[in-house]
């Protein structure tokens, strides 16, 4: 459990911070009740909102330890406590409260930008959030520097200048409006890029956050100028709206639209399910975590990289905030990784939980993929062996054909010269003639040998000519039907395919002659899409089996190595039909 | 008699040259690949072209293709194709254009110098000579029951084969130790059975037989 330690540390520090803030809230309530001015029940609402933030933050933080929204909500609670200090008695605390009066609004903007992970993504987002803090902390200053705050002795005011205060307020309004416009634009952009699932959560949340902030600010301004008679009602509505913010965010993070703990439990059940009926592992993960773009990849130590389930190499993004990667480990070994969409799955811990649960199954899948890869490797190496053997065949055939044969013929010419030399005794001439005919017999044998190693017709004219030549030498009437796609001059097949095809025809014909008790044989060569199709049929007794006889097995092996297929149809009494299909790009 | 040789194997080319020169032929050119052979044959316009089938650059059938090309351009040049392995298709391709002065023999036939030289002279004289090996392949070829060749007696098949090899009636009579009259009788019977037009022209008769065999 790689992540056990940081997780519990986070939970502990969160709990400690929560307890501390709760204590502060309690103290503040006491201070407020003792405080001046306004009716007690309204001032107590401020720490109540802070408590709403605190509760939501702690809940979200504990359930989603790697999501920063929880921490942000806790910080929001602190901001509310600080902002409401303006209503207490001790002047030092009031100063802090006055300075931080609008800070909670900036926290809301921060939450809006950070959702769902709690992390800010992109420069524009970060700049806008920084501007929000600037507006609430710095541009707030003219309000207390140039106007009375109602504190005894006005420690903050440097000059009572209603003009400057008014101008500062105006600047703050404009800047604040710009921040909200920028936030709206950005969220709108994110909404458009989001999937329907994301939109269902992000849309209402963004709308609520923006409306809450704008309403709070507008209501305050309207109250100052128009609705002066409804102070209490206005404050209550504002506070209610603001109290809704942490609850909405916490709900958004926990529901996530994305994932629930229950789903991960279901994943566990799936992993235990019968292998035959289950969808692929990555599909199951994507379904469970609610991210269709989720990638599950396997680690191949030999290659030092990731591959997908088909064995193709995959490059994962590194350090991309939008698309984080969670490693999957088993017994300390890296076995794979999950890359996911951070806007869809806000909570990294969820993916990590899924990673732990999938580890065993993934290791199993990995072995399967390795097995498939090694099978392909074996096939490729077998193909290479066959190819090397074929090259050797060609070389031997050429050497025998070109070199040896010529030398034998020249020797025979020499022997003939002796046989016709009138100066030699008759006995010697007779022996020379015997020598010549002997050499000629060797040449005949050599020709048969070369023909078996690499048929002349195949080398000179290709498969259709070689098939015809074979048919010419059959003791049974043999019909040869070659499609133009195979016979025309440009239809050169790869040498390996051509040779395999020839052996198929030769072996099938030999079998038919030996075992089928046939009267007629038929060969058909065709070239359906990307394949060479060889069909050899007879009208014999049937009952032949694909694996019977070494010749047939050798033929099947050759076809298999080339990735082809061999079918033998041989019902008793119904003749035999052998069909070989070899892949060859046309 | 002027001859151009196409043979890429130096030893064989030497042997062939020796045999032909000793028989009184004049070797006016020797080529080692198909293109060169066509060039030299057309340039020298010899009486005879002797060529191997498989030659550079592709080592497939360029010798045969060169011979056919030369034949198409100059039908008066006699052609003798030598090969290690004989194929029915090559025989038909050679005979398709015009049967006069065509030969198709196994390479090793060169060793029996006297017989070979006699064959070469027959080819130069416009005769058609097919290797006994090709002929026997053609005759042995399995045929359907309704094939007219089934109606021939073994002796008639023998005569047909020797006719295809380009032998004269006298030569056939000598080979089979029968009278020339008997050969003529067999031949006319063969024509009847195979429904071939009777013709006094020796090589046209051979052509008809071979065409029939080569279908």
């Amino acid at each position: 459990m790689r992540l056990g330690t940081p997780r519990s540390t986070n939970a502990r520090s969160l709990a400690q911070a929560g307890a501390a803030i709760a204590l502060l809230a309690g103290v503040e309530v006491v201070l407020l009740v003792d405080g001046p001015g306004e009716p007690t029940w309204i001032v107590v609402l401020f720490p109540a909102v802070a408590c709403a933030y605190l509760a939501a933050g702690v809940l979200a933080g504990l359930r989603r330890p790697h999501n920063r929204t929880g921490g942000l909500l806790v910080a929001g609670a602190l901001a509310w406590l600080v902002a409401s200090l303006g209503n207490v008695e001790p002047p030092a605390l009031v100063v802090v409260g006055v300075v931080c009066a609008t800070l909670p609004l900036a926290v809301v903007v921060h939450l809006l930008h950070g959702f769902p992970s709690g992390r800010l993504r992109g420069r524009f987002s970060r700049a806008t959030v920084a501007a929000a803090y600037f507006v609430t902390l710095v541009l707030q200053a003219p309000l207390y520097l140039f106007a009375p705050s109602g504190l005894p002795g006005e420690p903050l005011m440097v000059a009572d200048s209603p003009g400057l205060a008014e101008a500062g307020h105006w600047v703050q309004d404009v800047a604040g409006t710009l921040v909200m416009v920028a936030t709206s634009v950005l969220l709108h952009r994110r909404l458009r890029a989001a999937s329907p699932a994301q939109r269902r959560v992000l849309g209402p949340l963004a709308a609520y956050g923006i409306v809450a902030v704008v309403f709070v600010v507008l209501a305050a301004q309207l109250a100052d100028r128009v609705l002066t008679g409804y102070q209490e009602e206005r404050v209550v509505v504002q506070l209610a709206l603001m109290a809704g913010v942490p609850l909405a965010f916490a709900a958004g993070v926990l529901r996530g639209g994305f994932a629930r703990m229950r789903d991960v439990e279901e994943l566990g059940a799936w992993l235990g399910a019968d292998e035959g009926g289950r969808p692929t592992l990555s599909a199951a993960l994507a379904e469970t975590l609610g991210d269709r773009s989720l990638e599950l990849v396997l680690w191949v130590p030999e290659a030092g990289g990731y591959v997908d389930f088909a064995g193709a190499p995959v490059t994962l993004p590194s350090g991309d905030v939008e698309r984080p990667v969670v490693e999957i480990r088993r017994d300390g070994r890296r076995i794979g990784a999950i890359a996911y969409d951070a806007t869809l799955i806000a909570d990294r811990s969820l993916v990590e939980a899924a990673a732990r649960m999938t580890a065993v199954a993934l290791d199993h899948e990995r072995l399967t993929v390795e097995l498939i890869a090694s099978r392909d490797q074996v096939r490729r190496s077998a193909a290479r062996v066959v190819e090397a053997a074929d090259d050797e065949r060609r070389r031997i055939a050429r050497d025998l054909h070109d070199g040896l044969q010529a030398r034998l013929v020249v020797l025979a010419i020499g022997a003939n010269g002796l046989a016709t030399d009138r100066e030699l005794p008759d006995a010697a001439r007779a022996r020379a003639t015997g020598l010549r005919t002997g050499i000629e017999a060797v040449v005949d044998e050599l020709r048969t040998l070369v023909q078996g190693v690499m048929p002349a017709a195949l080398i000179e004219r290709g498969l259709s000519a070689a098939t015809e030549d074979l048919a010419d030498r059959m003791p049974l009437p043999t019909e040869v039907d070659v499609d133009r796609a195979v016979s025309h001059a440009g239809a050169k097949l790869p040498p390996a395919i051509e040779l395999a095809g020839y052996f198929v025809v030769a072996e099938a014909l030999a079998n038919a002659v030996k075992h089928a008790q046939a009267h007629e044989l038929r060969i058909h060569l065709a070239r359906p899409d990307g394949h060479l199709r060889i069909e050899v049929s007879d009208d014999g007794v049937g009952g032949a089996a694909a694996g019977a006889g070494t010749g047939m097995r050798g033929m099947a092996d050759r076809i298999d190595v080339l990735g082809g297929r061999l079918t033998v149809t041989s019902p008793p009494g119904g003749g035999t039909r052998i069909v070989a299909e070899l892949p060859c790009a046309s | 008699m002027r001859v151009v040789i196409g043979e890429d194997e130096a030893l064989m080319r030497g042997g062939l040259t020796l045999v032909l020169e000793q028989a009184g032929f004049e070797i006016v050119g020797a080529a080692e690949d198909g293109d060169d052979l066509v060039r030299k044959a057309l340039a020298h316009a010899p009486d005879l072209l002797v060529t191997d089938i498989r030659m550079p650059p592709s080592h497939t059938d360029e010798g045969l293709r060169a011979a056919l090309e030369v034949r198409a351009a100059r039908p008066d040049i006699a052609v003798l194709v030598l090969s290690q392995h004989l194929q029915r298709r090559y025989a038909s391709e050679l005979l398709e254009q015009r049967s006069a002065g065509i030969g198709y023999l196994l390479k090793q036939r060169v060793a029996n110098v006297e017989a070979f030289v006699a064959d070469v002279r027959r080819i130069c004289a416009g005769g058609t000579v097919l290797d006994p090996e090709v002929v026997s392949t053609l005759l042995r070829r399995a045929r359907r029951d309704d094939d007219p060749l089934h109606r021939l007696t073994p002796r008639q098949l023998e005569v047909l084969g020797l006719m295809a090899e380009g032998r004269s009636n006298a030569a056939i009579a000598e080979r089979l130790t029968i009278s020339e009259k008997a050969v003529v009788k067999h031949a006319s019977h063969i024509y009847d059975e195979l429904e071939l037009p009777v013709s006094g022209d020796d090589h046209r008769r051979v052509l008809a037989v071979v065409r029939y065999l080569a279908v």
Side-chain angles (χ1 to χ4, degrees):
Chain A
M1 294 288 139
R2 193 166 68 95
L3 294 155
T5 318
R7 191 178 186 175
S8 54
T9 308
N10 278 357
R12 205 180 314 132
S13 49
L14 195 71
Q16 285 165 354
I21 292 169
L23 196 69
L24 275 179
V27 171
E28 193 173 299
V29 170
V30 174
L31 287 173
L32 286 169
V33 172
D34 283 351
E38 315 215 11
T40 308
W41 67 272
I42 284 194
V43 282
V44 172
L45 286 180
F46 283 84
V49 174
C51 286
Y53 267 89
L54 183 63
V58 169
L59 179 68
L62 289 177
R63 292 289 297 276
R64 302 279 184 266
H66 290 275
N67 192 310
R68 289 199 189 155
T69 305
L72 210 51
L73 287 169
V74 172
L78 200 59
W80 270 98
L81 284 181
V82 171
S84 43
L85 285 175
N87 298 324
V88 300
E89 187 74 54
L93 292 179
V94 176
V95 166
V96 176
V98 167
V99 169
C100 299
T102 52
L103 183 60
L105 292 176
V107 174
V108 176
V109 172
H110 193 164
L111 280 167
L112 279 172
H113 280 265
F115 188 80
S117 63
R119 291 172 178 83
L120 295 177
R121 305 189 295 279
R123 230 186 300 166
F124 183 58
S125 203
R126 274 193 288 274
T128 310
V129 172
Y133 284 107
F134 184 80
V135 169
T136 54
L137 288 175
V138 179
L139 295 184
Q140 180 77 8
L143 295 182
Y144 50 78
L145 291 180
F146 305 118
S149 333
L151 280 169
E154 295 293 345
L156 289 169
M157 192 169 71
V158 292
D160 189 356
S161 169
L164 280 177
E166 185 66 22
H169 199 187
W170 183 83
V171 169
Q172 190 191 29
D173 278 352
V174 171
T177 305
L178 286 177
V179 165
M180 291 319 288
V181 168
T183 302
S184 308
V185 167
L186 183 109
L187 290 177
H188 183 249
R189 229 158 50 191
R190 283 193 190 161
L191 263 179
R192 278 179 49 181
S195 67
Q198 290 174 309
R199 263 183 230 144
R200 275 198 295 279
V201 178
L202 192 54
L205 199 62
Y208 181 74
I210 290 169
V211 166
V213 171
V214 171
F215 178 84
V216 166
V217 174
L218 275 182
Q221 302 202 345
L222 287 177
D224 286 350
R225 287 156 206 178
V226 191
L227 299 168
T228 37
Y230 299 97
Q231 282 295 340
E232 284 183 18
E233 290 79 352
R234 192 252 305 173
V235 172
V236 170
V237 172
Q238 282 179 322
L239 290 177
L241 262 179
M242 293 313 273
V245 169
L247 303 179
F249 273 96
V253 164
L254 292 181
R255 181 187 177 274
F258 311 111
R260 285 148 290 190
M261 259 317 176
R262 181 195 282 278
D263 285 334
V264 179
E265 283 154 21
E266 280 168 10
L267 176 66
W270 175 87
L271 291 174
D274 185 34
E275 223 171 295
R278 74 189 200 192
T280 68
L281 192 53
S282 39
L285 256 185
E287 184 65 29
T288 304
L289 296 177
D291 174 6
R292 290 248 173 92
S293 76
L294 181 139
E295 283 173 278
L296 178 63
V297 294
L298 304 163
W299 175 257
V300 184
E302 295 78 23
Y306 289 110
V307 297
D308 64 16
F309 281 79
V314 175
T315 314
L316 290 184
S318 62
D320 188 342
V321 186
E322 298 274 345
R323 197 156 181 83
V325 173
V326 170
E327 261 184 30
I328 304 172
R329 289 183 168 264
R330 190 175 180 213
D331 307 331
R333 287 176 298 123
R334 167 154 57 165
I335 60 168
I338 299 171
Y340 63 97
D341 184 345
T343 58
L344 271 178
I345 306 172
D347 188 356
R348 185 183 174 85
S349 61
L350 200 67
V351 181
E352 281 163 349
R356 283 191 294 276
M357 295 187 90
T358 23
V360 177
L362 187 69
D363 216 14
H364 169 80
E365 299 270 347
R366 199 169 67 112
L367 289 175
T368 311
V369 170
E370 273 176 13
L371 206 63
I372 291 169
S374 68
R375 188 198 62 186
D376 288 350
Q377 215 164 20
V378 166
R379 177 177 283 174
R380 274 197 297 276
S381 84
R384 278 196 297 275
V385 169
V386 168
E387 209 173 300
D390 287 352
D391 286 347
E392 197 60 7
R393 267 172 188 275
R394 257 179 226 108
R395 193 187 61 75
I396 290 169
R398 204 173 43 240
D399 287 355
L400 293 178
H401 179 274
D402 295 346
L404 205 50
Q405 190 218 28
R407 286 171 68 180
L408 286 169
V409 170
V410 170
L411 280 179
I413 293 172
N416 189 71
L418 292 176
T420 52
D421 189 341
R422 307 235 168 250
E423 287 175 16
L424 290 177
D426 285 354
R429 288 168 54 193
R431 284 177 66 185
T433 301
L435 198 57
R436 192 205 81 208
T437 51
I439 295 171
E440 282 182 59
V442 172
V443 174
D444 279 334
E445 273 174 43
L446 184 65
R447 184 178 54 215
T448 312
L449 184 68
V450 171
Q451 192 62 14
V453 172
M454 185 62 77
L458 194 64
I459 291 175
E460 291 166 7
R461 288 283 177 92
L463 182 60
S464 53
T467 300
E468 203 175 74
D469 195 42
L470 268 177
D472 276 351
R473 288 157 219 274
M474 281 298 120
L476 296 171
T478 306
E479 190 190 332
V480 181
D481 179 10
V482 180
D483 285 8
R484 247 195 79 66
V486 184
S487 64
H488 80 89
K492 190 72 188 145
L493 294 161
I497 300 289
E498 195 139 76
L499 196 59
Y502 177 83
F503 285 125
V504 168
V505 175
E507 188 60 35
L509 288 178
N511 276 338
V513 168
K514 255 187 270 174
H515 310 296
Q517 300 167 41
H519 298 100
E520 267 183 53
L521 311 175
R522 193 171 174 279
I523 306 165
H524 182 215
L525 303 184
R527 202 145 171 205
D529 43 83
H531 280 76
L532 169 67
R533 186 178 184 279
I534 299 163
E535 180 179 339
V536 180
S537 48
D538 65 52
D539 57 356
V541 294
T550 49
M552 286 283 264
R553 260 206 306 279
M555 180 163 89
D557 285 349
R558 232 172 212 284
I559 291 167
D560 187 52
V561 158
L562 293 167
R565 212 172 44 169
L566 180 75
T567 341
V568 179
T569 320
S570 189
T576 300
R577 192 168 60 113
I578 294 175
V579 176
E581 279 168 308
L582 294 160
C584 59
S586 19
Chain B
M1 286 286 172
R2 299 163 71 248
V3 181
V4 166
I5 295 175
E7 170 65 68
D8 61 306
E9 185 65 36
L11 209 56
M12 190 66 210
R13 198 167 56 237
L16 207 51
T17 306
L18 184 78
V19 164
L20 288 173
E21 279 180 348
Q22 277 179 355
F25 291 89
E26 183 195 354
I27 311 301
V28 295
E32 294 179 38
D33 65 66
D35 291 342
D36 194 31
L37 180 61
V38 173
R39 229 179 357 258
K40 284 186 170 141
L42 295 179
H44 296 292
D47 300 295
L48 175 69
L49 178 73
V50 180
T51 183
D52 185 11
I53 286 185
R54 214 182 293 176
M55 277 201 286
S58 71
H59 287 280
T60 56
D61 62 346
E62 39 272 280
L64 180 70
R65 279 187 278 125
L68 292 172
E69 198 181 328
V70 171
R71 263 307 260 211
R74 295 292 302 267
D76 56 312
I77 299 178
V79 165
L80 169 56
V81 172
L82 297 175
S83 175
Q84 192 186 47
H85 181 83
L86 300 169
Q87 285 179 69
R88 178 172 61 90
R89 172 175 284 273
Y90 293 172
S92 352
E93 281 176 20
L94 280 166
L95 294 167
E96 233 164 47
Q97 291 178 327
R98 242 191 91 201
S99 64
I102 288 285
Y104 182 31
L105 293 172
L106 276 178
K107 253 186 196 180
Q108 73 210 61
R109 304 294 180 221
V110 181
N112 190 348
V113 175
E114 290 68 34
F116 176 70
V117 168
D119 282 344
V120 171
R121 288 193 203 289
R122 269 218 310 286
I123 294 163
C124 288
T128 301
V129 174
L130 288 186
D131 197 281
E133 177 95 8
V134 184
V135 172
S136 70
T137 303
L138 294 176
L139 285 177
R140 269 208 311 267
R141 223 173 123 216
R143 288 162 191 278
R144 292 167 184 274
D145 295 339
D146 55 359
D147 194 294
L149 272 194
H150 284 296
R151 296 200 288 268
L152 299 185
T153 65
R155 174 63 79 170
Q156 285 161 358
L157 280 175
E158 253 179 319
V159 173
L160 178 65
L162 290 167
M163 277 160 53
E165 283 175 29
R167 313 276 164 206
S168 64
N169 283 352
I172 294 172
E174 193 193 324
R175 174 78 70 89
L176 299 179
T177 55
I178 53 175
S179 70
E180 217 175 311
K181 228 177 183 173
V183 174
V184 173
K185 223 179 109 194
H186 281 307
S188 72
H189 188 76
I190 292 166
Y191 298 148
D192 288 351
E193 286 294 357
L194 304 185
E195 291 158 8
L196 291 170
V198 185
S199 159
D201 189 354
D202 212 32
H203 51 78
R204 277 184 61 194
R205 175 188 75 172
V206 173
L207 169 69
V209 172
V210 168
R211 281 232 172 117
Y212 179 78
L213 290 171
V215 164

